[in-house]
CSV table of all heavy atoms in Angstrom, one decimal:
chain,number,residue,atom,x,y,z
A,853,MET,N,0.9,-1.1,0.0
A,853,MET,CA,0.0,0.0,0.0
A,853,MET,C,0.9,1.2,0.0
A,853,MET,O,1.8,1.3,0.8
A,853,MET,CB,-0.9,0.0,1.2
A,853,MET,CG,-1.6,1.2,1.4
A,853,MET,SD,-2.5,1.3,3.0
A,853,MET,CE,-3.9,0.2,2.7
A,854,PRO,N,0.7,2.2,-0.9
A,854,PRO,CA,1.5,3.4,-0.9
A,854,PRO,C,1.2,4.3,0.3
A,854,PRO,O,0.1,4.2,0.9
A,854,PRO,CB,1.1,4.1,-2.2
A,854,PRO,CG,-0.3,3.6,-2.5
A,854,PRO,CD,-0.4,2.2,-2.0
A,855,PRO,N,2.2,5.1,0.7
A,855,PRO,CA,2.0,5.9,1.9
A,855,PRO,C,0.9,7.0,1.5
A,855,PRO,O,0.6,7.3,0.5
A,855,PRO,CB,3.3,6.8,2.0
A,855,PRO,CG,4.3,6.0,1.1
A,855,PRO,CD,3.5,5.2,0.2
A,856,THR,N,0.3,7.5,2.7
A,856,THR,CA,-0.9,8.4,2.5
A,856,THR,C,-0.3,9.9,2.6
A,856,THR,O,0.8,10.1,3.2
A,856,THR,CB,-2.0,8.2,3.5
A,856,THR,OG1,-1.3,8.2,4.8
A,856,THR,CG2,-2.5,6.8,3.3
A,857,SER,N,-1.1,10.9,2.3
A,857,SER,CA,-0.8,12.3,2.5
A,857,SER,C,-0.8,12.7,3.9
A,857,SER,O,-1.4,11.9,4.8
A,857,SER,CB,-1.7,13.1,1.7
A,857,SER,OG,-1.5,13.0,0.3
A,858,PRO,N,-0.2,13.7,4.3
A,858,PRO,CA,-0.2,14.2,5.8
A,858,PRO,C,-1.6,14.4,6.3
A,858,PRO,O,-2.3,14.9,5.6
A,858,PRO,CB,0.7,15.4,5.7
A,858,PRO,CG,1.2,15.7,4.4
A,858,PRO,CD,0.5,14.7,3.5
A,859,THR,N,-1.8,13.9,7.5
A,859,THR,CA,-3.1,14.1,8.1
A,859,THR,C,-3.1,15.0,9.3
A,859,THR,O,-4.1,15.6,9.6
A,859,THR,CB,-3.7,12.8,8.6
A,859,THR,OG1,-2.7,12.2,9.5
A,859,THR,CG2,-3.8,11.7,7.5
A,860,ALA,N,-1.9,15.3,9.8
A,860,ALA,CA,-1.8,16.2,10.9
A,860,ALA,C,-1.2,17.6,10.3
A,860,ALA,O,-0.7,17.6,9.3
A,860,ALA,CB,-0.8,15.6,12.0
A,861,ASN,N,-1.2,18.6,11.3
A,861,ASN,CA,-0.6,19.8,10.9
A,861,ASN,C,0.9,19.7,10.7
A,861,ASN,O,1.5,18.8,11.3
A,861,ASN,CB,-0.8,20.8,12.0
A,861,ASN,CG,-2.2,21.2,12.1
A,861,ASN,OD1,-3.0,21.3,11.1
A,861,ASN,ND2,-2.6,21.6,13.3
A,862,TRP,N,1.5,20.4,9.8
A,862,TRP,CA,2.9,20.4,9.6
A,862,TRP,C,3.5,21.0,10.8
A,862,TRP,O,3.0,21.9,11.4
A,862,TRP,CB,3.2,21.3,8.3
A,862,TRP,CG,2.8,20.6,7.1
A,862,TRP,CD1,1.7,21.0,6.5
A,862,TRP,CD2,3.4,19.7,6.3
A,862,TRP,NE1,1.5,20.2,5.3
A,862,TRP,CE2,2.6,19.4,5.2
A,862,TRP,CE3,4.6,19.0,6.5
A,862,TRP,CZ2,3.0,18.4,4.2
A,862,TRP,CZ3,4.9,18.1,5.4
A,862,TRP,CH2,4.1,17.8,4.3
A,863,ARG,N,4.7,20.5,11.2
A,863,ARG,CA,5.5,21.1,12.3
A,863,ARG,C,7.0,21.2,12.0
A,863,ARG,O,7.4,20.4,11.2
A,863,ARG,CB,5.1,20.3,13.6
A,863,ARG,CG,5.6,18.9,13.5
A,863,ARG,CD,5.2,18.1,14.8
A,863,ARG,NE,5.3,16.7,15.0
A,863,ARG,CZ,5.9,15.9,14.3
A,863,ARG,NH1,6.5,16.2,13.2
A,863,ARG,NH2,6.0,14.6,14.5
A,864,LYS,N,7.5,22.1,12.6
A,864,LYS,CA,9.0,22.2,12.4
A,864,LYS,C,9.7,22.0,13.8
A,864,LYS,O,9.1,22.4,14.9
A,864,LYS,CB,9.2,23.8,12.1
A,864,LYS,CG,10.7,24.0,11.8
A,864,LYS,CD,10.9,25.4,11.1
A,864,LYS,CE,10.5,26.6,11.9
A,864,LYS,NZ,10.9,27.9,11.4
A,865,SER,N,10.9,21.5,13.8
A,865,SER,CA,11.6,21.1,15.1
A,865,SER,C,11.8,22.4,15.9
A,865,SER,O,12.0,23.5,15.4
A,865,SER,CB,12.9,20.5,14.7
A,865,SER,OG,13.8,20.5,15.9
A,866,SER,N,11.7,22.3,17.2
A,866,SER,CA,11.9,23.4,18.1
A,866,SER,C,13.4,23.8,18.0
A,866,SER,O,13.8,24.9,18.4
A,866,SER,CB,11.6,23.1,19.5
A,866,SER,OG,12.3,22.0,20.0
A,867,PHE,N,14.3,22.9,17.6
A,867,PHE,CA,15.7,23.2,17.4
A,867,PHE,C,15.9,24.1,16.3
A,867,PHE,O,17.1,24.6,16.0
A,867,PHE,CB,16.5,21.9,17.2
A,867,PHE,CG,16.6,21.1,18.5
A,867,PHE,CD1,15.8,20.0,18.6
A,867,PHE,CD2,17.4,21.4,19.5
A,867,PHE,CE1,15.9,19.2,19.8
A,867,PHE,CE2,17.5,20.6,20.7
A,867,PHE,CZ,16.7,19.5,20.8
A,868,SER,N,14.9,24.4,15.4
A,868,SER,CA,15.1,25.1,14.2
A,868,SER,C,14.9,26.7,14.4
A,868,SER,O,14.9,27.4,13.4
A,868,SER,CB,14.2,24.6,13.1
A,868,SER,OG,14.4,23.3,12.8
A,869,GLN,N,14.5,27.1,15.6
A,869,GLN,CA,14.2,28.4,15.8
A,869,GLN,C,15.4,29.4,15.3
A,869,GLN,O,16.5,29.2,15.7
A,869,GLN,CB,13.9,28.7,17.2
A,869,GLN,CG,12.6,28.0,17.7
A,869,GLN,CD,12.3,28.3,19.2
A,869,GLN,OE1,13.2,28.7,20.0
A,869,GLN,NE2,11.1,28.0,19.5
A,870,GLY,N,15.0,30.3,14.4
A,870,GLY,CA,16.0,31.2,14.0
A,870,GLY,C,16.9,30.7,12.8
A,870,GLY,O,17.5,31.4,12.1
A,871,ALA,N,16.7,29.4,12.5
A,871,ALA,CA,17.5,28.9,11.3
A,871,ALA,C,16.7,29.2,10.1
A,871,ALA,O,15.6,29.1,10.0
A,871,ALA,CB,17.7,27.4,11.6
A,872,GLU,N,17.5,29.2,9.0
A,872,GLU,CA,16.8,29.5,7.7
A,872,GLU,C,16.6,28.2,6.8
A,872,GLU,O,16.0,28.2,5.8
A,872,GLU,CB,17.7,30.5,6.9
A,872,GLU,CG,17.6,31.9,7.6
A,872,GLU,CD,18.4,33.0,6.7
A,872,GLU,OE1,18.6,32.7,5.4
A,872,GLU,OE2,18.8,34.0,7.3
A,873,ASN,N,17.4,27.2,7.1
A,873,ASN,CA,17.4,26.0,6.3
A,873,ASN,C,16.6,24.8,7.0
A,873,ASN,O,17.3,24.0,7.5
A,873,ASN,CB,18.8,25.5,5.9
A,873,ASN,CG,19.5,26.5,5.0
A,873,ASN,OD1,18.8,27.1,4.0
A,873,ASN,ND2,20.7,26.7,5.3
A,874,CYS,N,15.3,24.9,7.0
A,874,CYS,CA,14.5,24.0,7.9
A,874,CYS,C,13.6,23.2,7.0
A,874,CYS,O,13.2,23.6,5.9
A,874,CYS,CB,13.8,24.7,8.9
A,874,CYS,SG,14.8,25.8,9.9
A,875,VAL,N,13.1,22.1,7.6
A,875,VAL,CA,12.1,21.3,6.9
A,875,VAL,C,10.9,21.2,8.0
A,875,VAL,O,11.1,21.4,9.1
A,875,VAL,CB,12.5,19.9,6.5
A,875,VAL,CG1,13.6,20.0,5.4
A,875,VAL,CG2,13.0,19.2,7.6
A,876,GLU,N,9.8,20.9,7.4
A,876,GLU,CA,8.6,20.6,8.2
A,876,GLU,C,8.2,19.1,8.0
A,876,GLU,O,8.4,18.6,6.9
A,876,GLU,CB,7.4,21.5,7.9
A,876,GLU,CG,7.7,23.0,8.1
A,876,GLU,CD,6.6,23.9,7.7
A,876,GLU,OE1,6.1,23.8,6.5
A,876,GLU,OE2,6.2,24.7,8.4
A,877,VAL,N,7.6,18.5,9.0
A,877,VAL,CA,7.2,17.2,9.0
A,877,VAL,C,5.7,17.1,9.3
A,877,VAL,O,5.3,17.8,10.2
A,877,VAL,CB,8.0,16.3,9.9
A,877,VAL,CG1,7.5,14.9,9.9
A,877,VAL,CG2,9.5,16.4,9.6
A,878,GLY,N,5.0,16.3,8.6
A,878,GLY,CA,3.6,16.0,8.8
A,878,GLY,C,3.5,14.5,8.9
A,878,GLY,O,3.9,13.7,8.1
A,879,ARG,N,2.8,13.9,9.9
A,879,ARG,CA,2.6,12.6,10.0
A,879,ARG,C,1.5,12.1,9.1
A,879,ARG,O,0.6,12.9,8.7
A,879,ARG,CB,2.1,12.2,11.4
A,879,ARG,CG,3.2,12.1,12.4
A,879,ARG,CD,4.1,10.9,12.0
A,879,ARG,NE,4.8,10.6,13.2
A,879,ARG,CZ,5.7,9.7,13.1
A,879,ARG,NH1,6.0,9.0,12.0
A,879,ARG,NH2,6.4,9.3,14.2
A,880,THR,N,1.6,10.8,8.6
A,880,THR,CA,0.6,10.3,7.7
A,880,THR,C,-0.2,9.3,8.4
A,880,THR,O,0.1,8.8,9.5
A,880,THR,CB,1.2,9.6,6.4
A,880,THR,OG1,2.1,8.5,6.9
A,880,THR,CG2,2.1,10.6,5.6
A,881,ALA,N,-1.4,8.9,7.8
A,881,ALA,CA,-2.3,8.0,8.5
A,881,ALA,C,-1.6,6.6,8.8
A,881,ALA,O,-2.1,5.9,9.7
A,881,ALA,CB,-3.6,7.9,7.8
A,882,ASP,N,-0.7,6.2,8.0
A,882,ASP,CA,-0.1,5.0,8.2
A,882,ASP,C,1.2,5.0,9.0
A,882,ASP,O,2.1,4.2,8.9
A,882,ASP,CB,0.2,4.2,6.8
A,882,ASP,CG,1.1,5.1,6.0
A,882,ASP,OD1,1.5,6.2,6.3
A,882,ASP,OD2,1.4,4.7,4.9
A,883,SER,N,1.4,6.1,9.8
A,883,SER,CA,2.6,6.4,10.7
A,883,SER,C,3.9,6.7,9.9
A,883,SER,O,4.9,6.7,10.5
A,883,SER,CB,2.8,5.2,11.7
A,883,SER,OG,1.6,5.1,12.4
A,884,GLY,N,3.7,7.0,8.7
A,884,GLY,CA,4.9,7.4,7.9
A,884,GLY,C,5.0,8.9,8.2
A,884,GLY,O,4.5,9.5,9.1
A,885,ALA,N,5.7,9.6,7.2
A,885,ALA,CA,6.0,11.0,7.4
A,885,ALA,C,6.0,11.7,6.0
A,885,ALA,O,6.4,11.1,5.1
A,885,ALA,CB,7.2,11.4,8.2
A,886,ALA,N,5.5,12.9,6.0
A,886,ALA,CA,5.7,13.7,4.7
A,886,ALA,C,6.6,14.9,5.1
A,886,ALA,O,6.6,15.4,6.3
A,886,ALA,CB,4.3,14.3,4.4
A,887,VAL,N,7.5,15.3,4.3
A,887,VAL,CA,8.6,16.2,4.6
A,887,VAL,C,8.6,17.3,3.4
A,887,VAL,O,8.5,17.0,2.3
A,887,VAL,CB,9.9,15.6,4.7
A,887,VAL,CG1,11.0,16.6,5.0
A,887,VAL,CG2,9.9,14.4,5.7
A,888,ARG,N,8.6,18.6,3.9
A,888,ARG,CA,8.6,19.7,2.9
A,888,ARG,C,9.6,20.8,3.4
A,888,ARG,O,9.9,20.8,4.6
A,888,ARG,CB,7.3,20.2,2.6
A,888,ARG,CG,6.7,21.0,3.8
A,888,ARG,CD,5.4,21.5,3.5
A,888,ARG,NE,4.7,22.2,4.6
A,888,ARG,CZ,3.5,22.7,4.7
A,888,ARG,NH1,2.7,22.5,3.6
A,888,ARG,NH2,3.1,23.4,5.7
A,889,ASP,N,10.0,21.7,2.5
A,889,ASP,CA,10.7,22.8,2.8
A,889,ASP,C,10.0,23.9,3.4
A,889,ASP,O,8.9,24.3,2.9
A,889,ASP,CB,11.4,23.3,1.5
A,889,ASP,CG,12.3,24.5,1.6
A,889,ASP,OD1,12.4,25.0,2.7
A,889,ASP,OD2,13.1,24.8,0.6
A,890,THR,N,10.4,24.4,4.5
A,890,THR,CA,9.6,25.4,5.2
A,890,THR,C,9.5,26.7,4.4
A,890,THR,O,8.5,27.3,4.5
A,890,THR,CB,10.4,25.7,6.6
A,890,THR,OG1,10.5,24.5,7.4
A,890,THR,CG2,9.6,26.8,7.4
A,891,LYS,N,10.6,27.0,3.8
A,891,LYS,CA,10.5,28.2,3.0
A,891,LYS,C,9.7,28.3,1.7
A,891,LYS,O,9.3,29.2,1.2
A,891,LYS,CB,11.9,28.8,2.6
A,891,LYS,CG,12.8,29.1,3.9
A,891,LYS,CD,14.1,29.6,3.5
A,891,LYS,CE,15.0,28.5,2.9
A,891,LYS,NZ,16.3,28.9,2.5
A,892,ASN,N,9.5,27.0,1.2
A,892,ASN,CA,8.7,26.9,0.0
A,892,ASN,C,7.7,25.7,0.0
A,892,ASN,O,7.9,24.8,-0.7
A,892,ASN,CB,9.7,26.7,-1.2
A,892,ASN,CG,9.1,26.8,-2.5
A,892,ASN,OD1,7.9,27.1,-2.6
A,892,ASN,ND2,9.8,26.5,-3.6
A,893,PRO,N,6.8,25.7,0.9
A,893,PRO,CA,5.8,24.6,1.0
A,893,PRO,C,5.1,24.4,-0.2
A,893,PRO,O,4.6,23.3,-0.5
A,893,PRO,CB,4.9,25.1,2.1
A,893,PRO,CG,5.1,26.5,2.3
A,893,PRO,CD,6.4,26.9,1.8
A,894,ALA,N,4.9,25.3,-1.1
A,894,ALA,CA,4.1,25.3,-2.3
A,894,ALA,C,4.8,24.3,-3.3
A,894,ALA,O,4.3,23.8,-4.3
A,894,ALA,CB,3.9,26.5,-3.0
A,895,ALA,N,6.2,24.1,-3.1
A,895,ALA,CA,7.0,23.2,-4.0
A,895,ALA,C,6.6,21.8,-3.9
A,895,ALA,O,7.1,20.9,-4.6
A,895,ALA,CB,8.4,23.4,-3.7
A,896,GLY,N,5.8,21.3,-2.9
A,896,GLY,CA,5.5,20.0,-2.7
A,896,GLY,C,6.2,19.3,-1.5
A,896,GLY,O,6.9,19.9,-0.7
A,897,HIS,N,5.9,18.1,-1.3
A,897,HIS,CA,6.6,17.3,-0.3
A,897,HIS,C,6.9,15.9,-0.8
A,897,HIS,O,6.5,15.5,-1.7
A,897,HIS,CB,5.6,17.3,1.0
A,897,HIS,CG,4.3,16.6,0.7
A,897,HIS,ND1,3.3,17.4,0.2
A,897,HIS,CD2,3.9,15.3,0.8
A,897,HIS,CE1,2.2,16.6,0.0
A,897,HIS,NE2,2.6,15.3,0.4
A,898,PHE,N,7.7,15.2,0.0
A,898,PHE,CA,7.9,13.8,-0.3
A,898,PHE,C,7.4,13.0,0.9
A,898,PHE,O,7.3,13.5,2.0
A,898,PHE,CB,9.4,13.4,-0.6
A,898,PHE,CG,10.4,13.5,0.5
A,898,PHE,CD1,10.6,12.5,1.3
A,898,PHE,CD2,11.0,14.7,0.8
A,898,PHE,CE1,11.5,12.6,2.4
A,898,PHE,CE2,12.0,14.8,1.8
A,898,PHE,CZ,12.2,13.8,2.6
A,899,ILE,N,7.0,11.7,0.6
A,899,ILE,CA,6.3,10.9,1.7
A,899,ILE,C,7.1,9.7,1.9
A,899,ILE,O,7.7,9.1,0.9
A,899,ILE,CB,4.9,10.5,1.3
A,899,ILE,CG1,4.1,11.9,1.2
A,899,ILE,CG2,4.3,9.6,2.3
A,899,ILE,CD1,2.7,11.5,0.6
A,900,THR,N,7.4,9.3,3.1
A,900,THR,CA,8.0,8.0,3.4
A,900,THR,C,7.1,7.1,4.2
A,900,THR,O,6.1,7.5,4.7
A,900,THR,CB,9.3,8.4,4.5
A,900,THR,OG1,8.7,8.7,5.8
A,900,THR,CG2,10.2,9.4,4.0
A,901,THR,N,7.5,5.9,4.1
A,901,THR,CA,6.7,4.8,4.8
A,901,THR,C,7.1,4.9,6.3
A,901,THR,O,8.1,5.5,6.6
A,901,THR,CB,6.9,3.5,4.3
A,901,THR,OG1,8.3,3.1,4.4
A,901,THR,CG2,6.6,3.4,2.7
A,902,SER,N,6.4,4.2,7.2
A,902,SER,CA,6.7,4.1,8.5
A,902,SER,C,8.1,3.5,8.7
A,902,SER,O,9.0,4.1,9.5
A,902,SER,CB,5.7,3.4,9.3
A,902,SER,OG,6.0,3.3,10.7
A,903,PRO,N,8.5,2.4,8.1
A,903,PRO,CA,9.8,1.8,8.3
A,903,PRO,C,10.9,2.7,7.8
A,903,PRO,O,11.9,2.8,8.4
A,903,PRO,CB,9.7,0.5,7.5
A,903,PRO,CG,8.3,0.1,7.4
A,903,PRO,CD,7.5,1.4,7.3
A,904,GLN,N,10.6,3.4,6.7
A,904,GLN,CA,11.7,4.3,6.2
A,904,GLN,C,11.9,5.4,7.2
A,904,GLN,O,13.0,5.8,7.4
A,904,GLN,CB,11.2,4.9,4.9
A,904,GLN,CG,11.3,4.0,3.7
A,904,GLN,CD,10.5,4.5,2.4
A,904,GLN,OE1,9.7,5.3,2.6
A,904,GLN,NE2,11.0,4.0,1.3
A,905,TRP,N,10.8,6.0,7.7
A,905,TRP,CA,10.9,7.1,8.6
A,905,TRP,C,11.6,6.7,9.9
A,905,TRP,O,12.5,7.4,10.5
A,905,TRP,CB,9.6,7.7,9.0
A,905,TRP,CG,9.6,8.9,9.8
A,905,TRP,CD1,9.2,9.1,11.1
A,905,TRP,CD2,10.2,10.2,9.3
A,905,TRP,NE1,9.3,10.4,11.4
A,905,TRP,CE2,10.0,11.0,10.5
A,905,TRP,CE3,10.8,10.7,8.2
A,905,TRP,CZ2,10.5,12.4,10.4
A,905,TRP,CZ3,11.2,12.0,8.2
A,905,TRP,CH2,11.1,12.8,9.3
A,906,GLN,N,11.3,5.5,10.4
A,906,GLN,CA,11.8,5.0,11.7
A,906,GLN,C,13.4,4.8,11.5
A,906,GLN,O,14.2,5.1,12.3
A,906,GLN,CB,11.2,3.7,12.1
A,906,GLN,CG,9.8,3.9,12.6
A,906,GLN,CD,9.1,2.6,12.8
A,906,GLN,OE1,9.5,1.5,12.8
A,906,GLN,NE2,7.7,2.8,13.2
A,907,ASP,N,13.7,4.2,10.3
A,907,ASP,CA,15.2,4.0,10.0
A,907,ASP,C,15.9,5.4,9.9
A,907,ASP,O,17.1,5.4,10.4
A,907,ASP,CB,15.3,3.2,8.7
A,907,ASP,CG,15.0,1.8,8.7
A,907,ASP,OD1,14.8,1.3,9.9
A,907,ASP,OD2,14.8,1.2,7.7
A,908,PHE,N,15.3,6.3,9.3
A,908,PHE,CA,16.0,7.6,9.2
A,908,PHE,C,16.1,8.3,10.6
A,908,PHE,O,17.3,8.8,10.8
A,908,PHE,CB,15.1,8.5,8.3
A,908,PHE,CG,15.5,9.9,8.3
A,908,PHE,CD1,16.8,10.3,7.6
A,908,PHE,CD2,14.9,11.0,8.8
A,908,PHE,CE1,17.2,11.6,7.5
A,908,PHE,CE2,15.3,12.3,8.6
A,908,PHE,CZ,16.5,12.6,8.1
A,909,ILE,N,15.2,8.2,11.4
A,909,ILE,CA,15.2,8.8,12.8
A,909,ILE,C,16.3,8.1,13.6
A,909,ILE,O,17.0,8.7,14.3
A,909,ILE,CB,13.8,8.8,13.5
A,909,ILE,CG1,12.9,9.7,12.8
A,909,ILE,CG2,14.1,9.1,14.9
A,909,ILE,CD1,13.3,11.1,12.7
A,910,ALA,N,16.3,6.8,13.4
A,910,ALA,CA,17.4,6.0,14.2
A,910,ALA,C,18.8,6.4,13.7
A,910,ALA,O,19.8,6.5,14.5
A,910,ALA,CB,17.1,4.5,14.0
A,911,ALA,N,19.0,6.6,12.3
A,911,ALA,CA,20.3,7.1,11.9
A,911,ALA,C,20.7,8.3,12.4
A,911,ALA,O,21.8,8.6,12.8
A,911,ALA,CB,20.2,7.1,10.3
A,912,LEU,N,19.6,9.3,12.5
A,912,LEU,CA,19.9,10.6,13.0
A,912,LEU,C,20.4,10.5,14.5
A,912,LEU,O,21.4,11.1,14.9
A,912,LEU,CB,18.7,11.5,13.0
A,912,LEU,CG,18.3,12.1,11.7
A,912,LEU,CD1,16.9,12.8,11.8
A,912,LEU,CD2,19.3,13.0,11.1
A,913,LYS,N,19.7,9.7,15.3
A,913,LYS,CA,20.0,9.7,16.7
A,913,LYS,C,21.3,8.9,16.9
A,913,LYS,O,22.0,9.2,17.9
A,913,LYS,CB,18.9,8.8,17.3
A,913,LYS,CG,17.6,9.6,17.6
A,913,LYS,CD,16.5,8.8,18.2
A,913,LYS,CE,15.3,9.6,18.5
A,913,LYS,NZ,14.2,8.9,19.2
A,914,SER,N,21.7,8.1,16.0
A,914,SER,CA,23.0,7.4,16.1
A,914,SER,C,24.2,8.3,15.8
A,914,SER,O,25.4,8.0,15.9
A,914,SER,CB,23.1,6.1,15.3
A,914,SER,OG,23.2,6.5,13.9
A,915,GLY,N,23.9,9.4,15.2
A,915,GLY,CA,25.0,10.3,14.7
A,915,GLY,C,25.5,10.0,13.4
A,915,GLY,O,26.6,10.5,12.9
A,916,ARG,N,24.9,9.2,12.7
A,916,ARG,CA,25.3,8.7,11.3
A,916,ARG,C,25.6,9.9,10.3
A,916,ARG,O,26.5,9.9,9.5
A,916,ARG,CB,24.3,7.9,10.7
A,916,ARG,CG,24.7,7.3,9.3
A,916,ARG,CD,23.8,6.3,8.8
A,916,ARG,NE,23.9,6.0,7.4
A,916,ARG,CZ,23.1,5.2,6.7
A,916,ARG,NH1,22.0,4.9,7.2
A,916,ARG,NH2,23.4,5.1,5.5
A,917,PHE,N,24.7,11.1,10.5
A,917,PHE,CA,24.9,12.1,9.5
A,917,PHE,C,25.7,13.3,10.2
A,917,PHE,O,25.8,14.3,9.5
A,917,PHE,CB,23.6,12.6,9.2
A,917,PHE,CG,22.7,11.6,8.5
A,917,PHE,CD1,21.5,11.1,9.1
A,917,PHE,CD2,23.1,11.0,7.4
A,917,PHE,CE1,20.8,10.1,8.6
A,917,PHE,CE2,22.3,10.0,6.8
A,917,PHE,CZ,21.2,9.6,7.4
A,918,ASP,N,26.3,13.2,11.3
A,918,ASP,CA,27.1,14.2,12.0
A,918,ASP,C,28.3,14.5,11.2
A,918,ASP,O,28.9,13.5,10.6
A,918,ASP,CB,27.4,13.8,13.4
A,918,ASP,CG,26.2,13.8,14.3
A,918,ASP,OD1,25.2,14.1,14.0
A,918,ASP,OD2,26.4,13.3,15.5
A,919,ARG,N,28.8,15.6,11.1
A,919,ARG,CA,30.0,16.0,10.4
A,919,ARG,C,31.1,16.2,11.4
A,919,ARG,O,31.0,16.4,12.5
A,919,ARG,CB,29.8,17.3,9.7
A,919,ARG,CG,28.9,17.2,8.6
A,919,ARG,CD,28.8,18.5,7.9
A,919,ARG,NE,27.7,18.4,6.9
A,919,ARG,CZ,27.5,19.2,5.9
A,919,ARG,NH1,28.4,20.2,5.8
A,919,ARG,NH2,26.6,19.1,5.1
């Protein structure tokens, strides 16, 4: 089954306050996520499945993308 469109309000991380390069996330009905550019929401969004989103969050928490 393909992921669904966002069902909840879009939200931005509280860590993004004052930052200019931010994204917003909206949850989908199947527990996946939709992601869009905060500065250009009209450009659209991409949608992930729940397992993809969980893997991405786990990678973030593990420091995999730290520089």
Side-chain angles (χ1 to χ4, degrees):
M853 170 186 289
T856 58
S857 294
T859 58
N861 292 334
W862 292 96
R863 61 188 175 4
K864 184 169 64 166
S865 170
S866 60
F867 291 101
S868 299
Q869 292 179 345
E872 293 186 21
N873 297 320
C874 303
V875 296
E876 294 176 312
V877 177
R879 281 295 202 185
T880 61
D882 58 356
S883 298
V887 182
R888 70 181 181 185
D889 183 348
T890 300
K891 293 185 293 185
N892 191 6
H897 60 274
F898 68 88
I899 297 176
T900 68
T901 64
S902 180
Q904 289 169 330
W905 187 245
Q906 290 172 6
D907 288 347
F908 175 68
I909 296 301
L912 286 173
K913 288 180 178 180
S914 75
R916 180 174 170 193
F917 304 114
D918 292 352
R919 293 184 187 194

